[in-house]
Amino acid sequence: MAECGVTTPVLVGVGAVQQHIEDYECALEPVALMEQALRNAAVDAGSMQLLSLADEILVPKSLWSYTDPGRLLAASLGAHSATTLLAEFGILQQSLLTRACQRIKDGDADVILVAGGEARFRALCAGKAGVEAFETPQNGAEPDITLQPQDEMWSSVESDSGLGMPVGYYAILDSALRYKQGLTVDQHRDQIASMYARLSELAADNPDAWSGQVVSASHIREHSAANRMLAFPYTKLHNSQWNVDQAAGLILCSAGVAETLGIERSKWVFPQAFTESNDMSVVASRKDLGASPGFRVAGQVAMTLAGVDFNDIRFCELYSCFPYAVRVQLEEFGLNLNRDVSVTGGMTFGGGPLNNFALQATVKMAQLLRKNPAETGLVTTVSGLLTKQACALWSANPGVREWSCADVTDQVREQSDVCEVVSNYTGKGSVAGYTVLHQGSDPWRAVAVFDLPDGQRTVAYSEDPAMMEAMMTQECCGMSYDVSAGRFQSH
């Protein structure tokens, strides 16, 4: 075991809250949910003093209107000297935990609060009543620190084809992985339906999950009025459920502070190793659409740093925004396809508050590790369109080495082949990945990423009903089509 020094970072308090209140006027707004989660975390740690001692409050951006939610939290929690940080969309949720641990280890901070939350269910209920749910206004408030991504997550060539919501991008990536693995379309559909049926079972055993309903694989697999197809082969129940009211609060501090405040050792959860890749590339440019060099490298380095093998880890939460995210992690980590991939029930059934799920998952993981101190837990994170990747290993005991974090961005960039994406191409192209987008209950548009003879890429679409039907019944990756002015058709 590594020695526990005065500045060793430890997670000492965790709290998660959710509300299923249809009366939007009685339901708490997002920042109030975050406040409650942090208060719960302080109760969990056994020290309310941690809140007022906070040196920094970190919050990931979501769909609420606050410009500096950390400032609202600081005021309500009595953390008057805390600096505030807002991480914009495109920043890994894991990056907030990495920053907190690094600042504590370096002696730059003693106590850091991390909170995130969403109240989309509340907003949905208000919208049904024809009004907008109230949120505390902030007139020009700005956080002390803002983290922003450096590059774009999609290209105009992609959006011009009809791609907009993430589900279409992920379905395209999954078609490429299916083709790479030699699965038929039906085998692939069966596999992802069974995977998500199991997630519903795990959620039913999790009292903090948004949904407690076990759903059959056959219901998840098929298009229906209650479970419509969004982007073939993904139905609604393959999709992250973001219309939830959920929040998470985590309190990290130095071991020295934890000792001084008398926080019981049974509450301490130690970060073992964190890895992050912040290399950014748009989906259509990725030479191997069915691979994730980011997860491959991040996983290998995390295992090396912590001296563990992911296959020996019983508790894991693989980021599950869509089936491809889970499947490509299993592939890149070399994990057993039949293993449980979640401790929460995943983002469809456990609940997927936008840009906050990794924090929710870390709360659940910490609670499990306290009860199972011999175990190590893995929590992974995705940002964007599987654009960035991160791995975090935690344990209730100090690891064999001190906590460390590796930014593997440069290694990932070296191992990532990208293609130039062009528009207005005319000629033949071979399908690298595709999906059929649906609107309402009907197929709307087939969208495909094409490999071009000169090594470039383009994205094109077809609204031909026969083409869309064919792409939903047979494997079309690897097939050649005529492409012109952003559309494609058979030779």
Side-chain angles (χ1 to χ4, degrees), residues 71-83:
R71 187 65 55 208
L72 295 174
L73 291 170
S76 60
L77 297 173
H80 302 299
S81 62
T83 58

Side-chain angles (χ1 to χ4, degrees), residues 164-185:
M165 297 297 287
V167 63
Y169 289 93
Y170 277 89
I172 287 173
L173 292 167
D174 213 349
S175 72
L177 179 56
R178 172 186 71 218
Y179 184 60
K180 183 178 179 180
Q181 293 175 330
L183 297 175
T184 67
V185 171

Side-chain angles (χ1 to χ4, degrees), residues 282-348:
V282 301
V283 167
S285 73
R286 301 171 196 172
K287 182 65 175 176
D288 188 346
L289 293 177
S292 174
F295 268 129
R296 185 186 319 134
V297 175
Q300 290 170 347
V301 174
M303 286 188 274
T304 299
L305 289 175
V308 300
D309 188 315
F310 284 178
N311 279 295
D312 297 330
I313 292 176
R314 183 155 63 101
F315 299 128
C316 75
E317 185 68 51
L318 303 187
Y319 202 83
S320 53
C321 51
F322 298 98
Y324 174 75
V326 181
R327 285 181 8 88
V328 80
Q329 288 179 78
L330 293 171
E331 179 85 6
E332 299 294 8
F333 297 156
L335 295 177
N336 187 320
L337 292 177
N338 297 317
R339 68 160 296 145
D340 283 339
V341 298
S342 175
V343 296
T344 67
M347 297 175 73
T348 297

